[in-house]
């Protein structure tokens, strides 16, 4: 509290003025007690003479402790010289000085204080008002650190051009990936409009401004097309434009991420050309077969006139040729496989139809071939001396080898197509079609599909020994979930386990153990004031790899954190898996590990979901 200096007693005739003066001081003391700021009065000798209660509350010292030591000793050593220079201005006739310094609290910490100080010449005292500015300082430091981390992240990306635009579409930031892809240096491009990357045709159609407008309206837009580098060359790009808005909803600019997918574009065009060429070759081959069939028909007709004993066989061959012709016609009109660059779900769907068709017809083809081969043998036994043209054809095609190898060839084709059918079925089970709808699902089926897809990684190779999968499945009822997302979690965890075992090396047999059970877990149900035991499906995936330290385990589920070396991991797989289990399904995902003792990931999902959730997370591999 500020206490006025003592005044001489007034004559009794001025008693009214004295009473008003004391009332004023009393009201002033109440005001300083209520204020949220810190008030100090210093004497010329460098000691605090008076402080208000807020000083004691914020800094922790009692009033007696404040007055016991010179006030300059409470100031941070690095700020003392600056503080004394500011106070020197009061002696240079400045009425008020304002500055900021660090002031030590009783617990040893420092707080940032904003000061307004003035000198009262009549009372020879210094009046000081301070405000705690520590939170703003810490917030500014945290903001600077966040911006620096974001800058380092963007600068570290070399494969993507990450560009920031102002609301008008002018470039305000430029990362090394943008310089590599587009060839402009930051000094050359900053301030220019983004339309300089578009072709003249796109600019004439207003494509650059149209993309920014859609992004501003919808929040995000993705486009693909040809873009122009600094030297005038073009590349095919995938571009994602995201609108950036402040807390007030006002448009602050755009984030633009560009990826060079020229190689993929050329691969798609090459694949289309290959398919067209294949279709042309099939048509040409079919025409050749039709000509051969026609010649065979003519020869068979000649032999029918002289060989009545072969009449039945000739009729059978004619009928067989007609069926072969129909089969060839169907093959010409069969839907061709789509581009190999399509997503796995599309590939699985496209492969399933022709594979099923081939698999279903191989048995018939084997039967027909055996009949034809028998016919050829009969023909050779009855006509051991064919005409020269036929004898030459027999020699050219190596008929004996063809008849011996063709059954083996068809049998091998049948085994291969059966394997493809199983893989396609597993892919379809793994992906599921109901990604946006929560349905009861068999988690064991998802685990088996995932293991079948990863089968090639479990087999022994030159680099690592075989990885054995130990299954300890309990009885699980159907679980309400987004089956495709749960399968993605299985894929992430099992892939990570395989990566760890491959990297660990050594002669110790590698294994992954998968166990399942139903377990009651105590959780807080929405709207309830107490915990309830809720049945959960619990899946444990454990490996006997090198294990992890407690510090690593605590960071596993953080975005962009990875233990893999050489750029093998994005650091998103476990983070996304955690959000799928915890946020989308109300479950739990934990890790138990010790160095040298392997790792175990535990998934717990409520068997029945109380609140329907909607997945909004894009999945990524780890």
């Amino acid at each position: 509290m500020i206490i006025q200096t003592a005044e001489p007693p007034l004559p009794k005739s001025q008693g009214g003025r004295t009473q008003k003066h004391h009332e004023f001081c009393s009201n002033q003391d109440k005001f300083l007690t209520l204020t949220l700021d810190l008030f100090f009065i210093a004497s010329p000798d460098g000691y605090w003479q008076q402080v208000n209660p807020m000083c004691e509350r914020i800094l922790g010292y009692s009033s007696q402790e404040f007055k016991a030591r010179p006030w300059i000793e409470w100031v941070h050593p690095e700020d003392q010289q600056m503080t004394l220079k500011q106070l020197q201005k009061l002696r240079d006739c400045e009425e008020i000085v304002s500055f900021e310094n660090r002031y030590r609290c009783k617990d040893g910490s420092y707080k940032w204080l904003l000061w307004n100080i003035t000198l009262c010449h009549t009372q020879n005292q210094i009046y000081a008002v301070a405000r705690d500015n520590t939170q703003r300082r810490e917030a500014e430091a945290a903001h600077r650190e966040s911006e620096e981390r974001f800058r380092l992240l963007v600068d570290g990306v070399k494969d993507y051009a990450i560009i920031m635009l102002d609301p008008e579409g002018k470039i305000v930031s430029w990362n090394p990936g943008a310089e590599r892809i587009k060839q402009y240096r930051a000094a050359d491009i900053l301030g220019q409009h983004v339309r300089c990357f578009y072709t003249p045709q796109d600019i004439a159609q207003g494509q650059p401004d149209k993309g920014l407008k859609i992004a501003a309206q919808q929040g995000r837009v993705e486009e693909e097309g040809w873009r122009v580098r600094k030297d005038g060359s073009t590349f095919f790009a995938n571009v994602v434009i995201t609108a950036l808005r402040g807390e007030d909803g006002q448009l602050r600019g755009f984030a633009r991420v560009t990826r060079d997918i020229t190689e993929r574009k050329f691969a798609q065009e090459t694949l289309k050309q290959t398919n067209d060429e294949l279709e042309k070759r099939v048509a040409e081959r079919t025409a050749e077969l039709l000509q051969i069939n026609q010649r065979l028909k003519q020869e068979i007709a000649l032999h029918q006139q002289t060989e009545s004993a072969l009449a039945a066989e000739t009729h059978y061959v004619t009928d067989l040729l007609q069926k072969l012709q129909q089969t060839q016609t169907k093959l010409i009109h069969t839907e061709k496989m789509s581009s190999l660059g399509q997503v796995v779900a599309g590939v699985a769907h496209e492969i399933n139809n022709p594979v099923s068709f081939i698999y279903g017809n191989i048995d018939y083809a084997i039967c027909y071939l055996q009949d034809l081969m028998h016919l050829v043998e009969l023909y050779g036994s009855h006509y051991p001396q064919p005409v020269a043209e036929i004898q030459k054809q027999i020699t050219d095609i190596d008929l004996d080898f063809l008849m011996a190898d063709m059954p083996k060839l068809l049998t091998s084709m049948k085994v291969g197509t059966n394997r493809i059918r199983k893989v396609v079925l597993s892919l379809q089970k793994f992906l599921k079609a109901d990604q946006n709808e929560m349905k009861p699902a068999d988690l064991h089926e998802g685990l088996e599909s995932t293991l079948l897809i990863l089968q090639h990684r479990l087999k022994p190779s030159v680099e690592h020994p075989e990885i054995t999968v130990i299954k300890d499945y309990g009885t699980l009822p159907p679980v309400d979930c987004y089956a495709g997302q749960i399968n993605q979690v299985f894929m992430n965890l099992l892939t990570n386990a395989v990566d760890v075992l491959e990297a660990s090396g050594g002669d110790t047999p590698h294994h992954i153990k998968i166990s399942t059970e139903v377990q009651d877990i105590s959780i807080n149900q929405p709207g309830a004031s107490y915990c309830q035991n809720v049945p959960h499906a619990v899946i444990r995936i454990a490996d006997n790899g090198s294990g992890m330290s407690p510090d690593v385990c605590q960071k596993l589920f953080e975005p962009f954190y990875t233990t893999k070396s050489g750029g093998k991991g994005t650091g998103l797989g476990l983070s996304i898996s955690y959000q799928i289990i915890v946020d989308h399904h109300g479950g739990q995902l934990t890790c138990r590990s010790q160095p040298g003792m392997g790792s175990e990931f535990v998934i717990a999902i409520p068997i029945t979901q109380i609140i329907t959730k909607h997945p909004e997370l894009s999945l990524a591999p780890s």
Side-chain angles (χ1 to χ4, degrees):
M1 293 181 291
I2 300 177
I3 300 178
Q4 303 292 332
T5 57
E7 296 182 359
L10 295 176
K12 293 183 179 180
S13 61
Q14 295 182 353
R17 179 174 175 271
T18 302
Q19 182 178 359
K20 291 181 180 179
H21 175 75
H22 288 306
E23 290 178 355
F24 172 77
C25 292
S26 176
N27 291 336
Q28 187 180 41
D29 290 346
K30 291 181 180 179
F31 173 76
L32 297 180
T33 301
L34 295 174
T35 183
L36 298 178
D37 289 327
L38 294 78
F39 281 81
F40 301 85
I41 299 178
S43 59
D45 59 0
Y47 286 81
W48 293 126
Q49 190 175 12
Q50 294 293 137
V51 296
N52 73 332
M54 189 57 64
C55 299
E56 303 175 10
R57 185 181 306 170
I58 293 178
L59 300 177
Y61 301 104
S62 65
S63 177
Q64 290 74 15
E65 289 174 321
F66 273 114
K67 299 174 183 178
R69 299 172 63 181
W71 57 262
I72 193 63
E73 294 185 7
W74 309 112
V75 178
H76 193 285
E78 296 178 0
D79 298 342
Q80 290 181 2
Q81 191 65 28
M82 177 274 295
T83 302
L84 293 174
K85 288 183 179 180
Q86 292 293 332
L87 294 179
Q88 181 64 36
K89 296 179 180 179
L90 293 175
R91 297 186 179 89
D92 297 338
C93 299
E94 287 196 23
E95 294 184 359
I96 298 175
V97 293
S98 299
F99 59 91
E100 184 178 19
N101 66 11
R102 288 166 287 182
Y103 206 91
R104 187 169 75 249
C105 301
K106 188 171 184 178
D107 61 5
S109 63
Y110 283 89
K111 289 188 178 293
W112 284 94
L113 299 182
L114 284 172
W115 295 87
N116 276 345
I117 298 180
T118 187
L119 176 64
C120 179
H121 295 281
T122 59
Q123 298 179 358
N124 197 22
Q125 292 177 328
I126 294 177
Y127 288 81
V129 180
R131 178 165 296 174
D132 186 359
N133 198 38
T134 307
Q135 290 186 353
R136 185 181 67 83
R137 276 279 190 162
E138 292 176 348
E140 290 176 349
H143 180 67
R144 287 194 298 270
E145 182 180 356
S146 176
E147 288 184 340
E148 178 64 14
R149 290 175 62 186
F150 178 75
R151 184 188 66 78
L152 292 174
L153 175 63
V154 171
D155 289 345
V157 176
K158 307 297 183 184
D159 297 329
Y160 293 81
I162 303 177
I163 306 169
M164 298 298 178
L165 311 176
D166 65 11
E168 287 74 33
K170 294 182 179 179
I171 300 167
V172 297
S173 75
W174 189 257
N175 80 322
E179 181 175 335
R180 185 185 67 81
I181 294 175
K182 301 178 181 291
Q183 299 178 347
Y184 289 94
R185 301 181 66 84
D188 301 331
I189 200 65
L190 292 179
Q192 295 194 37
H193 198 278
V194 72
R195 67 172 62 93
C196 66
F197 303 135
Y198 287 77
T199 63
Q201 295 83 356
D202 288 343
I203 295 175
Q205 297 174 3
Q207 183 65 28
D209 296 325
K210 186 185 300 182
L212 296 178
K213 182 177 180 181
I214 295 175
Q217 293 174 347
Q218 301 180 2
R220 181 182 183 275
V221 66
E222 182 174 359
E223 58 186 23
E224 290 187 355
W226 291 101
R227 298 294 180 265
V228 182
R229 297 189 180 91
K230 181 180 180 180
D231 61 3
S233 62
T234 58
F235 66 98
F236 200 78
N238 173 272
V239 182
V240 177
I241 305 173
T242 304
L244 305 176
R245 297 185 178 275
E247 295 181 358
D248 56 358
Q250 293 296 319
L251 181 65
R252 303 299 186 189
F254 302 91
R256 181 185 176 95
V257 180
T258 302
R259 181 162 54 102
D260 185 352
I261 58 171
T262 308
E263 292 184 2
R264 191 185 76 180
K265 177 69 173 176
F266 287 154
Q268 291 174 344
E269 293 178 352
T270 301
L271 181 61
K272 182 179 182 304
Q273 294 175 358
T274 302
N275 287 340
D276 294 341
E277 180 65 23
L278 177 61
E279 184 175 353
K280 180 180 178 181
R281 291 173 60 185
V282 169
E284 293 174 350
R285 183 58 178 165
T286 302
E288 293 175 2
L289 290 174
L290 291 175
Q291 293 177 1
I292 294 173
N293 291 340
Q294 186 63 32
R295 289 198 299 269
L296 288 174
K297 288 180 181 180
Q298 294 174 357
E299 293 176 4
I300 291 172
L302 293 175
H303 289 297
Q304 283 178 340
Q305 297 175 5
T306 58
E307 299 294 336
S308 58
L310 296 177
E313 288 79 0
T314 302
H315 176 74
Y316 177 77
V317 171
T318 303
D319 183 66
L320 177 61
L321 290 174
Q322 291 176 350
K323 291 181 179 180
L324 285 174
Q325 185 176 356
Q326 293 174 358
T327 301
Q328 293 161 358
T329 303
K330 290 181 180 179
L331 285 172
I332 293 173
H333 296 88
T334 299
E335 182 180 2
K336 303 298 184 295
M337 291 190 304
S338 65
S339 168
L340 294 178
Q342 296 294 329
V343 294
V344 175
V347 173
H349 177 74
E350 293 297 332
I351 290 177
N352 192 42
N353 286 339
V355 168
S356 297
F357 175 79
I358 295 172
Y359 182 81
N361 283 279
I362 285 179
D363 288 336
Y364 294 106
I366 292 174
C367 181
Y368 298 159
L369 178 63
Q370 290 174 346
D371 291 338
L372 281 173
M373 292 171 64
H374 180 64
L375 175 60
V376 172
E377 290 175 352
L378 287 177
Y379 184 84
S381 64
H382 288 282
Y383 296 96
Q385 298 298 328
V387 296
E389 183 179 359
I390 294 178
Q391 182 63 42
K392 182 178 182 303
Q393 184 67 18
I394 290 174
T395 303
D396 291 343
I397 67 175
D398 195 354
L399 182 61
D400 292 338
F401 173 77
L402 186 148
M403 293 182 68
D405 191 60
M406 184 60 74
K408 299 177 183 179
L409 180 64
L410 290 176
T411 301
S412 176
M413 291 171 61
K414 184 176 180 180
V415 173
T417 53
N418 188 42
R419 173 65 177 167
I420 294 174
R421 290 179 68 215
K422 289 183 179 179
V423 172
V424 170
L425 180 60
S426 296
L427 287 174
Q428 291 173 334
K429 289 181 180 179
F430 174 81
L431 293 172
K432 295 288 186 182
D434 52 344
Q435 290 292 317
N436 294 322
E437 184 177 359
M438 184 172 286
K439 294 181 178 179
D442 184 351
L443 298 187
H444 288 156
E445 182 179 278
L447 285 168
E448 290 300 314
S449 298
T450 307
L451 288 173
L452 182 57
I453 295 171
L454 292 174
Q455 188 64 38
H456 67 287
R457 303 237 4 229
L458 304 176
K459 297 179 180 179
S461 66
V462 178
E463 291 80 9
H464 58 83
E466 180 181 8
I467 299 175
T468 304
V469 177
I470 303 172
K471 302 176 185 177
D472 183 15
Y473 290 171
T475 301
L476 292 183
V479 177
D480 290 345
C481 65
Y482 300 107
Q485 290 192 9
I486 298 300
N487 288 343
Q488 183 65 47
V489 174
F490 293 159
M491 177 64 75
N492 285 341
L493 297 183
L494 289 170
T495 300
N496 284 348
V498 173
D499 290 342
V500 167
L501 293 176
E502 289 181 350
S504 62
D507 299 328
T508 303
H510 294 166
H511 69 258
I512 298 173
K513 182 177 181 180
I514 306 174
S515 58
T516 62
E517 64 176 337
V518 175
Q519 180 179 339
D520 287 341
I521 298 178
S522 179
I523 64 173
N524 286 320
Q525 293 284 14
S529 59
Y530 55 91
C531 294
Q532 296 181 354
N533 288 331
V534 177
H536 282 62
V538 178
I539 302 96
R540 293 181 171 85
I541 300 176
D543 63 71
N544 64 335
S546 56
M548 296 173 287
S549 67
D551 292 339
V552 173
C553 288
Q554 291 180 356
K555 300 177 182 179
L556 277 180
F557 302 112
E558 295 179 3
F560 304 109
Y561 180 81
T562 179
T563 60
K564 298 178 182 178
S565 61
K568 293 182 180 180
T570 64
L572 293 175
L574 289 179
S575 173
I576 292 174
S577 298
Y578 185 86
Q579 294 185 45
I580 289 173
I581 299 300
V582 177
D583 297 340
H584 293 181
H585 294 83
Q588 301 174 9
L589 176 58
T590 56
C591 176
R592 303 170 183 171
S593 183
Q594 293 182 12
M597 301 297 291
S599 304
E600 180 184 61
F601 286 85
V602 182
I603 304 169
I605 307 173
I607 293 176
T608 302
Q609 291 287 333
I610 296 178
I611 299 177
T612 302
K613 302 176 182 293
H614 299 281
E616 300 174 353
L617 182 66
S618 298
L619 302 183
S622 64

